[in-house]
């Protein structure tokens, strides 16, 4: 019987077409791969590869063997990987980008430490997924919580507060909101109304309400604020690390509460699995 390791080496060479890449995938040197090919040829009594100074390429007999073998080793690898993953459970979460990058991901190591057998599959999207039809166990949604046919748990209501780089207030009275008129306003493309809402609620006006600098996402707007490009209005929870590090400051100005908030949602039509329940409970105790 031919050596399985040599056959595996041959299948990698047939798949990738380059000896160097096949050797890398197998974890051996190119010369060791060549040795395995010679060993297989001796065992089968056939010339499987050409050696013409341009590397190793398959002969007609080699191509015939590769065709006969098909994806046998791929299926073996899949079976072994599935066996290795026995006892592990996947948790598929859909969320919005800002929540994922600015709040959830920095805290996920704590959840993983408490649930080491749960493998996380995290997806960020601006669209509202269908929890009954799509392959997600749960989601984090932004809104007022009145979605039909879903189980909803409020994590927190949003607020808006002004944040900016410390240098922009240097030498100025940080208690005086009038200094804002001399600063640029930074807008997120998806949240163009946030500054107008904050200014209206605070009894202020600013020429950059309809102009100003527009960033594609709130994450980019935060980075622009850190760089000193202007001021942002943001939920404090999304810049807590930057505030602690001193990269941003939040003056003691008005804080505007919003009706919208972040919610944990799941379909009640699906069985409440242990990972989903653990994630829900962890979220509610972490916020």
């Amino acid at each position: 019987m031919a050596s399985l390791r040599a056959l595996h080496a041959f299948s990698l060479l047939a798949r990738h077409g380059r000896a160097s890449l096949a050797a890398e995938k197998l974890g051996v040197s190119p010369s060791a791969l060549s040795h395995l090919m010679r060993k297989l040829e001796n065992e089968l009594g056939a010339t499987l590869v050409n050696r013409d100074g341009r590397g190793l390429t398959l002969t007609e007999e080699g191509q015939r063997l590769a065709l006969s073998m098909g994806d046998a080793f791929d299926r073996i690898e899949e079976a072994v990987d599935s066996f290795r993953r026995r006892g592990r459970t996947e948790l598929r979460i859909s969320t919005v980008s800002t929540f994922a990058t600015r709040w959830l991901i920095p805290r996920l190591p704590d959840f993983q430490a408490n649930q080491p057998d749960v493998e996380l599959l995290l997806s960020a999207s601006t669209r509202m997924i269908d929890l009954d039809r799509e392959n997600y166990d749960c989601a984090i949604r932004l809104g007022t919580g009145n979605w039909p046919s879903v189980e909803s748990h409020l994590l927190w209501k949003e607020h808006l507060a002004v944040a900016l780089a410390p240098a922009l207030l240097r030498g100025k009275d940080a208690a005086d909101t009038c200094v804002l008129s001399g600063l640029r306003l930074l807008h997120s493309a998806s949240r163009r109304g946030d500054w107008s809402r904050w200014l209206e609620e605070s009894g202020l006006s600013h020429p950059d309400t309809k102009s100003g600098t527009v960033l594609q996402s709130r994450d980019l707007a935060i980075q622009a604020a850190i760089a000193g490009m202007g001021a942002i209005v943001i939920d404090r929870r999304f810049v807590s690390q930057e505030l602690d590090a001193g990269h941003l400051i939040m003056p003691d100005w008005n804080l505007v509460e919003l009706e919208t908030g972040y919610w944990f949602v799941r379909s009640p039509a699906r069985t409440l699995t242990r990972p989903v329940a653990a994630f829900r409970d962890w979220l509610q105790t972490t916020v």
Side-chain angles (χ1 to χ4, degrees):
M1 180 178 177
S3 162
L4 281 178
R5 184 165 176 78
L7 283 170
H8 189 199
F10 174 78
S11 74
L12 289 171
L13 179 62
R15 184 198 308 172
H16 298 292
R18 287 169 46 207
S20 58
L21 185 54
E24 181 182 340
K25 294 289 185 181
L26 192 64
V28 299
S29 66
S31 61
L33 180 79
S34 179
H35 176 74
L36 285 169
M37 291 301 94
R38 290 192 181 280
K39 178 180 180 183
L40 183 62
E41 288 174 326
N42 290 335
E43 290 173 344
L44 298 180
T47 302
L48 302 175
V49 295
N50 294 309
R51 298 170 177 83
D52 54 7
R54 294 178 298 175
L56 302 180
T57 58
L58 301 189
T59 63
E60 287 188 12
E61 286 195 299
Q63 292 173 6
R64 192 177 304 118
L65 176 60
L67 186 62
S68 299
M69 289 174 59
D71 63 349
F73 277 95
D74 288 341
R75 287 185 282 112
I76 291 172
E77 287 177 3
E78 288 176 7
V80 171
D81 184 60
S82 177
F83 183 78
R84 284 174 177 162
R85 290 159 57 90
R86 68 193 186 283
R88 299 186 67 82
T89 307
E90 289 184 348
L91 176 61
R92 294 153 296 192
I93 308 162
S94 173
T95 182
V96 289
S97 178
T98 302
F99 184 90
T101 59
R102 306 302 310 180
W103 191 89
L104 181 59
I105 289 174
R107 292 166 175 80
L108 276 180
D110 177 66
F111 176 77
Q112 290 181 309
N114 289 304
Q115 302 290 331
D117 65 321
V118 176
E119 290 190 349
L120 297 174
L121 282 77
L122 187 65
S123 174
S125 173
T126 55
R127 70 180 182 87
M128 189 178 296
I129 64 163
D130 186 333
L131 287 165
D132 287 324
R133 297 183 179 181
E134 297 187 56
N135 198 27
Y136 292 103
D137 300 303
C138 58
I140 307 297
R141 284 183 182 171
L142 173 62
T144 56
N146 55 348
W147 302 286
S149 305
V150 296
E151 175 187 318
S152 305
H153 300 271
L154 178 64
L155 301 178
W156 76 70
K157 285 284 189 74
E158 282 191 291
H159 66 246
L160 297 176
V162 178
L164 66 165
L168 296 184
L169 284 184
R170 195 165 294 141
K172 301 174 183 177
D173 183 1
D176 186 2
T177 55
C178 290
V179 302
L180 188 62
S181 62
L183 302 176
R184 289 184 177 275
L185 303 188
L186 302 176
H187 303 273
S188 166
S190 61
R191 302 284 298 243
R192 284 303 302 267
D194 282 355
W195 263 118
S196 295
R197 174 71 181 272
W198 186 89
L199 289 165
E200 182 181 351
E201 295 275 347
S202 304
L204 299 171
S205 61
H206 195 286
D208 278 355
T209 302
K210 294 183 179 179
S211 56
T213 302
V214 180
L215 289 306
Q216 183 65 32
S217 66
R218 282 186 286 177
D219 202 36
L220 288 176
I222 291 168
Q223 296 305 315
I226 293 171
M229 291 177 61
I232 56 170
V233 279
I234 195 76
D235 192 303
R236 184 184 184 93
R237 300 171 186 87
F238 291 147
V239 291
S240 59
Q241 291 181 326
E242 288 75 13
L243 293 171
D244 291 342
H247 300 314
L248 292 174
I249 57 173
M250 273 190 169
D252 191 18
W253 298 347
N254 194 25
L255 186 145
V256 175
E257 299 283 355
L258 303 180
E259 290 302 312
T260 52
Y262 290 90
W263 301 73
F264 168 88
V265 297
R266 60 173 294 270
S267 170
R270 292 189 175 185
T271 302
L272 178 61
T273 62
R274 175 184 60 81
V276 174
F279 184 61
R280 177 199 60 196
D281 296 344
W282 173 80
L283 282 172
Q284 293 181 310
T285 58
T286 303
V287 295

